[in-house]
Structures are given as structure tokens and as C-alpha cells.
């Protein structure tokens, strides 16, 4: 419980769900705020499917990779600003108010996107959505963390991660549901406004974070809320005492936190160590490549050799489902295994999965079907790819044909019963695509036919299965725990901003990278970054399992460098120093 030292007996997961009948108020707070994670997840997932149909409606988007990346990444650019402003807004106006503002921004963005008449309006709508998502991404876990008992705090904050992945899974279901509807992508993007409206209504009837209220001198309000969270009288008193000590420590150090610059904060040892761990985790969460999968999952499926939009969306549903399942696994293990161990296991699996994907895509691109002169001449000569028609060299294959996409070329697979036989290299437009389909052939513009497609899907599934329980949820949990109360909003905003900046770098470069160096080398780069992430976790990330939030600051103050993440731990959940003892915990 909050305010005391406790070990873990494996019951946190059961205790979390027993709240549904024993103290439903805590779950009501957690799930209502966690809808911010649903908004985050839905936006991440929905654009991957909508982009397939936006390309079909807007030729300029289909022909220009940078414009596709712009539509995807402008939401991330907005989220950078939203997260940065959200840190300040959280400390100034409160967690609840910040969530309400995020809902309004998200709803406005969904309306603008659904009514867009061109790429410019789509980009504007994506920026609005990003502003809301950026605020929600750092506020929701913070609100949940500050309204949760320490013993099950990790499990409750993990509900935010579960709703993120649940939102992604929901977006793929909705994408599939609207594949045959008129205005396909408009429905996909417009439905995104509904969760924002739902959360806005719920949050109107919920209180502010008790820690923020205490921090602002509204002690009686804070105590009243804590009495609803904690049933035992002693627990409430202990929690109030911890909050009092934290605020008094702030007054002794440097007065009002709002007047303290980030540069001054970094000079404080506990804040600096917390920022290194928190910001580093958020950056590496993105650099290991997760949003290449979530933003471009159907595109990756097509790169693996599956041509149909519907097939790509259906197979992407598998990865998003595994992502949601991984979040449930995290809820069970986060307070049982600990944050650090879960991160290490997660990254080892991610590294292995990326190595498999790199190998599969290498085989796919180096063994793609040949372009047959007879197959190409089967079609009207005016439909032949200009680059192929004017080339004097032989040895053209599907990969080379698609690399001529700057001239608008696609690959029409063989109609002789096997898509791996030589096919035709033709101009890429809707008329040629329909001509290819009319003969019962498959039309490729993203990837080539491959016998390794299902192995690539297995690699993606393994990647998600390992990423989701660890790197998917733990960075947000650690960032909701690791900063001193008086600086939690600002530091959380810095970490969330770093996450979104890294997200932007990945989202804006993935398609260009795959086009320039191929998917095999792209995934290999992500694998190398995952190795760096593993080293960072071993060296820089402390274990916060089971520690009351106010106790984390004391742990950072005396923390020593330890690489043995499996080492025995003190009863409070902190790592034991080399002497085997730890004072004051």
C-alpha cells in the first residue's frame, strides 16, 4: 500500500481485479483516464489502414512517399507540442483539466480529417489530433499513477497501456469494417472522435489528482479523495504524511516549482537520474521501431508479398491483437516480475525478431520473380513501364521494377497459377491495376510476390509479442513513478516530448529508408538500436517495483550502478547494494 514498504506475494494482479467489487472507485478513475490511451492507440492504428485508401483517392499521395510520411507524421509533430505543453498544463491547471482539453483537440481533429477534400486538410486534422494525443499520452498514466495504491500501481497504470493496444486493435477492426463502405477512409478517421466525447463526459464527473490538489494547498479535497481510494484509516494518514514531507522538502530546496527552470532541475541529482532513465526509455521505445509496425503495418505486410489491401488489413489485425494481448500479460507481470526484468526480456525478444525480419526481407528482395518479356508484351505496349521499355539491360525482376516507382511502375504477377513465375512490369495507375486484376492476376506496387511472406508475418508477430509486455508499457509506468512529486508534470512532459520527437523521426523516415536501402537493412538498423536499448536498461534504469512514489526519490538519491538486474531486492522493492543492505527503505 502507499506509504509503506511491501514485498510482492504474487497477488497484485488478483487484487487489482478484485477492486471491481471491493473498491470500484479506483478502477473507475483508472479506466476513465485510461481512455486517453485508447485515443492514442486508435490514432496510431487507424492511419495505417486509412493510408491505403487515401493513396487510392489522392494520386499525389500515392506517387509521393514524402506526402504519405507527412500525413502520418504530422500527428506526431502535433503530439510533440501537445506533450511539451501538457507538462506545463498538468502542473498549472491539473491532470483532469489537461485530459478534458486533449479530448476537445482530438474531436476537432477527427472532424477536420473526415471532411478533408485534399492532403492539406488531412495534414491540418492530423496536427489537431496529435496535439490531443500528445497531452493525453503523458497525462493519463500520471493521473492513474497518482490515484493508485503503490501495491497495484503498476497493474493499474498498465491498464493505460492495455487501452493503447486495445485502441490499435479496435482501429484495425473498424478499418476492416469500412473497407467496402463509400468514403472508406473518412469513416475510419471520423469514428476516432467518439472515444474523445466519451472520455470528456466521464472526466466531467471525476475529481482532480489528490497529489496535485495537495500540492496546490487544497488539503481537505485531497484527503477526501484519498479516503475513497484507501479504506484503512492508517493508510490515508500515512499517505498524507508522505505528501506533507514532499511539499515541505520542496519549500526547503527552492520554493515554487513553477519558477524552476529545466536547467536548474537537471542539476538536482535525483531529477537528473530520473530524467536519464525516463527520457532514455521513451526515446528507445521508439527507436526500436515499434511505430514502423503500428503506423505502416499493412504496408509492411504488402512489402512481405501480400498484394491486397483487404488481406494486408486482415493480417495486420493479428499483430494488433497480439499487441493488446501483450498488454494484458504486462498487467499480470509488471508488479510480479518488476519493471527492469520485463524490459530486459522484452528487448532480447525484440532483437531476435528484428534479426529474423531482416533475414526474411533480404531473401524476399533478392529472390523476387523475374520480369518476363513475353508476360509484359502480353499487355498493350502503351502500358509497359517506361523505365523497362527504354532499358537496354536484361535481368529485370520485380524488385527492380518497383524501384522504378518514381516513373510510376508496378508488377503484374504471372497468371500461370503461380505468382512466383515471371510477370509483367507495367505502368502504375488504376486502369492498369484493373486490367491486371481482370485477368485473375495479383497487382504489386509495394512489395513483390514471395514464398517467405508467412515467415515475415511470424517475425512481426514475435516482435509484437515481445515488445508489448515490456517496452510497450514499462516506459510509461516508469515515467509515472520516477520523478519527485513537485516536478512530475514538467519531467513527464519532457519525457513524453522526447518520445514523440523520436516517434516523428521514425515515422518520417521509414518509407524513405525502405525505398533507399530496402526493408532488410532498415530492420537491421532497428535491431542495432535495440541492442543499444538493452545496454541502456542494464546500466541506467532502476527498479521501482513496489516502492511508494515518494520513496522513489530517496532510492534515486542513493542509487549505485548495478548491472545485475536479477539481484536480490530489499523488502521495499529497491535493489540491494553490494553490501546486501539498504538504509532507510
Amino acid at each position: 500500500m502507499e506509504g509503506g514498504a511491501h514485498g510482492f506475494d504474487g497477488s497484485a494482479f488478483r487484487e487489482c481485479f478484485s477492486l471491481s467489487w471491493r473498491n470500484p472507485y479506483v478502477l473507475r478513475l483508472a479506466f476513465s483516464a485510461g481512455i486517453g490511451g485508447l485515443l492514442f492507440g486508435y490514432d496510431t492504428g487507424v492511419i495505417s489502414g486509412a493510408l491505403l485508401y487515401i493513396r487510392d483517392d489522392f494520386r499525389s499521395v500515392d506517387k509521393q512517399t514524402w506526402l504519405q510520411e507527412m500525413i502520418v507524421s504530422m500527428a506526431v509533430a502535433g503530439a510533440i507540442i501537445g506533450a511539451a505543453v501538457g507538462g506545463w498544463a498538468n502542473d498549472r491547471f491539473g491532470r483532469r483539466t489537461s485530459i478534458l482539453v486533449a479530448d476537445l483537440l482530438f474531436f476537432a481533429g477527427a472532424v477536420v480529417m473526415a471532411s478533408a477534400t485534399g492532403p492539406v486538410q488531412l495534414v491540418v486534422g492530423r496536427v489537431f489530433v496529435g496535439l490531443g494525443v500528445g497531452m493525453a499520452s503523458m497525462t493519463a498514466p500520471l493521473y492513474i499513477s497518482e490515484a493508485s495504491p503503490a501495491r497495484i500501481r503498476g497493474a493499474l497504470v498498465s491498464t493505460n497501456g492495455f487501452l493503447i493496444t486495445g485502441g490499435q486493435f479496435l482501429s484495425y477492426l473498424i478499418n476492416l469494417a469500412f473497407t467496402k463502405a463509400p468514403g472508406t477512409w473518412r469513416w475510419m478517421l471520423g469514428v476516432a472522435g467518439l472515444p474523445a466525447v466519451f472520455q470528456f463526459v466521464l472526466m466531467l464527473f471525476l475529481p482532480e489528482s489528490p497529489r496535485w490538489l495537495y500540492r496546490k494547498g487544497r488539503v481537505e479535497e485531497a484527503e477526501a479523495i484519498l479516503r475513497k481510494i484507501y479504506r484503512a484509516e492508517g493508510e490515508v494518514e500515512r499517505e498524507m504524511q508522505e505528501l506533507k514531507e514532499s511539499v515541505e522538502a520542496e519549500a526547503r530546496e527552492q520554493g515554487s516549482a513553477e519558477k524552476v527552470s529545466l536547467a536548474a532541475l537537471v542539476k538536482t541529482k535525483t531529477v537528473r537520474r530520473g530524467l536519464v532513465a525516463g527520457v532514455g526509455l521513451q526515446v528507445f521505445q521508439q527507436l526500436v521501431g515499434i511505430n514502423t509496425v503500428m503506423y505502416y503495418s499493412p504496408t509492411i505486410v504488402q512489402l512481405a508479398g501480400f498484394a491486397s489491401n483487404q488481406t494486408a488489413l486482415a493480417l495486420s489485425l493479428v499483430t494488433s491483437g497480439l499487441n493488446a494481448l501483450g498488454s494484458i500479460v504486462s498487467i499480470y507481470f509488471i508488479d510480479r516480475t518488476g519493471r527492469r526484468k520485463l524490459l530486459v526480456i522484452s528487448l532480447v525478444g525484440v532483437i531476435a525478431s528484428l534479426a529474423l525480419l531482416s533475414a526474411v526481407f533480404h531473401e524476399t528482395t533478392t529472390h523476387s520473380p523475374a520480369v518476363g518479356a513475353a508476360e509484359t508484351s502480353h499487355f498493350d505496349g502503351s502500358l509497359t513501364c517506361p523505365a523497362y521499355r527504354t532499358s537496354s539491360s536484361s535481368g529485370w525482376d520485380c524488385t527492380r521494377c518497383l524501384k522504378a516507382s518514381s516513373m510510376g511502375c508496378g508488377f503484374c504477377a504471372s497468371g500461370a497459377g503461380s505468382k512466383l513465375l515471371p510477370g509483367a512490369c507495367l505502368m502504375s495507375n488504376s486502369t492498369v491495376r484493373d486490367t491486371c486484376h481482370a485477368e485473375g492476376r495479383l497487382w504489386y506496387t509495394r512489395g513483390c510476390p514471395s514464398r517467405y511472406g508467412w515467415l515475415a508475418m511470424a517475425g512481426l508477430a514475435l516482435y509484437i509479442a515481445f515488445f508489448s509486455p515490456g517496452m510497450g508499457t514499462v516506459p510509461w509506468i516508469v515515467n509515472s513513478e520516477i520523478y519527485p512529486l513537485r516536478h512530475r508534470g514538467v519531467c513527464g512532459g519532457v519525457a513524453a516530448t522526447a518520445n514523440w520527437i523520436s516517434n516523428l523521426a521514425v515515422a518520417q523516415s521509414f518509407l524513405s529508408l525502405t525505398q533507399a536501402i530496402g526493408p532488410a537493412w532498415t530492420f537491421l538498423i532497428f535491431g542495432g538500436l535495440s541492442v543499444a536499448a538493452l545496454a541502456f536498461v542494464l546500466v541506467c534504469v532502476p527498479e521501482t517495483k513496489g516502492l511508494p512514489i515518494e520513496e522513489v526519490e530517496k532510492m534515486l538519491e542513493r542509487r549505485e550502478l548495478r548491472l545485475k538486474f536479477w539481484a536480490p531486492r530489499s523488502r521495499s522493492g529497491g535493489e540491494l547494494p553490494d553490501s546486501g543492505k539498504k538504509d532507510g527503505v
Side-chain angles (χ1 to χ4, degrees):
M1 299 296 176
E2 198 81 45
H6 296 273
F8 181 82
D9 60 7
S11 64
F13 181 79
R14 295 188 299 273
E15 186 172 329
C16 177
F17 284 94
S18 73
L19 287 174
S20 60
W21 57 270
R22 188 164 47 85
N23 188 2
Y25 183 76
V26 175
L27 279 186
R28 181 185 169 196
L29 294 178
F31 278 99
S32 297
I35 295 174
L38 188 75
L39 301 178
F40 181 178
Y42 188 91
D43 172 71
T44 302
V46 74
I47 193 61
S48 64
L51 188 61
L52 300 179
Y53 295 92
I54 291 171
R55 291 203 316 249
D56 290 343
D57 279 6
F58 300 120
R59 186 172 177 80
S60 59
V61 176
D62 186 44
K63 297 303 177 185
Q64 300 179 70
T65 299
W66 69 267
L67 195 50
Q68 296 173 38
E69 291 174 331
M70 183 73 70
I71 291 171
V72 171
S73 62
M74 277 302 97
V76 183
I80 293 172
I81 300 172
V85 173
W88 168 80
N90 267 267
D91 280 342
R92 183 68 180 272
F93 303 110
R95 291 38 164 158
R96 174 176 171 271
T97 301
S98 297
I99 291 175
L100 291 173
V101 172
D103 290 332
L104 291 174
L105 289 167
F106 198 95
F107 179 77
V111 171
V112 171
M113 289 188 297
S115 60
T117 57
V120 174
Q121 293 95 319
L122 278 170
V123 168
V124 171
R126 293 287 290 166
V127 171
F128 272 102
V129 165
L131 289 170
V133 170
M135 291 187 70
S137 68
M138 59 84 53
T139 306
L142 183 60
Y143 182 93
I144 297 170
S145 175
E146 293 184 346
S148 303
R151 182 178 180 80
I152 57 171
R153 186 177 64 236
L156 285 176
V157 176
S158 287
T159 61
N160 183 66
F162 169 68
L163 287 169
I164 290 175
T165 56
Q168 291 166 342
F169 183 74
L170 177 65
S171 72
Y172 283 114
L173 283 176
I174 290 176
N175 283 349
L176 277 174
F178 287 115
T179 53
K180 300 296 185 181
T184 304
W185 58 268
R186 297 183 187 278
W187 285 102
M188 294 174 178
L189 299 177
V191 169
L194 297 180
V197 173
F198 184 58
Q199 184 181 42
F200 186 89
V201 173
L202 287 178
M203 293 303 297
L204 287 176
F205 299 98
L206 292 180
E208 183 52 79
S209 157
R211 285 180 176 79
W212 184 85
L213 290 171
Y214 194 101
R215 170 81 176 73
K216 295 297 180 180
R218 296 158 65 176
V219 178
E220 293 182 358
E221 293 179 59
E223 184 175 359
I225 296 168
L226 288 172
R227 290 191 183 281
K228 294 182 180 180
I229 296 173
Y230 299 98
R231 293 306 177 96
E233 181 70 24
E235 292 173 345
V236 175
E237 297 304 322
R238 191 161 51 243
E239 179 66 18
M240 293 292 291
Q241 182 61 33
E242 291 282 359
L243 291 172
K244 180 181 178 181
E245 291 176 0
S246 179
V247 172
E248 288 176 350
E250 172 196 344
R252 289 194 301 269
E253 287 178 10
Q254 48 205 355
S256 177
E258 284 82 4
K259 298 180 181 178
V260 178
S261 67
L262 183 61
L265 288 180
V266 173
K267 294 178 181 179
T268 306
K269 181 165 61 175
T270 54
V271 176
R272 182 175 65 252
R273 288 177 173 176
L275 280 172
V276 167
V279 172
L281 277 179
Q282 294 286 38
V283 170
F284 277 117
Q285 184 193 62
Q286 298 303 316
L287 294 186
V288 300
I290 180 57
N291 278 321
T292 63
V293 176
M294 301 319 301
Y295 289 142
Y296 299 111
S297 182
T299 300
I300 294 173
V301 171
Q302 290 183 335
L303 286 171
F306 298 93
S308 164
N309 284 355
Q310 288 83 0
T311 301
L313 284 173
L315 291 176
S316 297
L317 189 63
V318 175
T319 60
S320 64
L322 286 172
N323 202 19
L325 181 62
S327 297
I328 298 175
V329 172
S330 176
I331 294 173
Y332 180 79
F333 282 104
I334 191 67
D335 286 320
R336 182 187 185 95
T337 304
R339 285 66 162 149
R340 203 158 175 250
K341 290 181 182 178
L342 209 53
L343 285 170
V344 171
I345 294 169
S346 174
L347 283 167
V348 169
V350 163
I351 292 168
S353 303
L354 288 170
L356 174 61
L357 282 170
S358 182
V360 169
F361 277 106
H362 174 74
E363 288 298 307
T364 297
T365 54
T366 55
H367 294 82
S368 64
V371 172
E375 285 289 317
T376 302
S377 62
H378 169 76
F379 296 91
D380 189 297
S382 63
L383 303 182
T384 304
C385 169
Y388 177 73
R389 185 190 308 134
T390 60
S391 174
S392 58
S393 62
S394 58
W396 273 62
D397 61 10
C398 173
T399 300
R400 186 174 177 182
C401 176
L402 297 190
K403 283 185 177 180
S405 58
S406 59
M407 299 187 69
C409 300
F411 183 79
C412 184
S414 172
S418 174
K419 61 183 181 180
L420 299 177
L421 294 174
C425 187
L426 307 174
M427 295 174 61
S428 179
N429 56 51
S430 58
T431 301
V432 177
R433 179 194 63 201
D434 293 341
T435 301
C436 178
H437 286 163
E439 297 195 2
R441 302 174 181 233
L442 294 175
W443 176 247
Y444 293 85
T445 57
R446 286 288 167 189
C448 294
S450 171
R451 62 171 56 90
Y452 304 107
W454 291 105
L455 193 55
M457 284 303 304
L460 281 176
L462 284 173
Y463 174 89
I464 290 294
F466 278 107
F467 177 91
S468 182
M471 285 299 289
T473 56
V474 175
W476 297 104
I477 293 171
V478 170
N479 272 278
S480 71
E481 298 173 326
I482 204 167
Y483 307 118
L485 171 64
R486 54 198 174 278
H487 307 310
R488 192 164 296 146
V490 172
C491 292
V494 170
T497 302
N499 179 288
W500 286 109
I501 290 174
S502 306
N503 190 326
L504 177 62
V506 171
Q508 187 65 30
S509 62
F510 176 70
L511 291 180
S512 298
L513 271 176
T514 57
Q515 205 169 50
I517 63 176
W521 282 101
T522 301
F523 283 114
L524 192 61
I525 289 172
F526 288 133
L529 291 170
S530 299
V531 172
L534 178 60
F536 173 83
V537 168
L538 290 173
V539 173
C540 299
V541 179
E543 180 57 74
T544 57
K545 182 186 97 172
L547 288 176
I549 293 179
E550 288 73 22
E551 192 68 31
V552 173
E553 183 176 357
K554 300 176 184 178
M555 179 268 292
L556 286 174
E557 180 70 29
R558 58 177 172 264
R559 179 175 175 263
E560 300 176 10
L561 177 65
R562 292 181 58 81
L563 298 179
K564 296 181 179 179
F565 67 91
W566 60 87
R569 300 162 42 127
S570 67
R571 290 178 61 194
S572 64
E575 293 177 346
L576 288 170
D578 292 333
S579 63
K581 298 179 181 179
K582 194 165 192 168
D583 297 331
V585 181

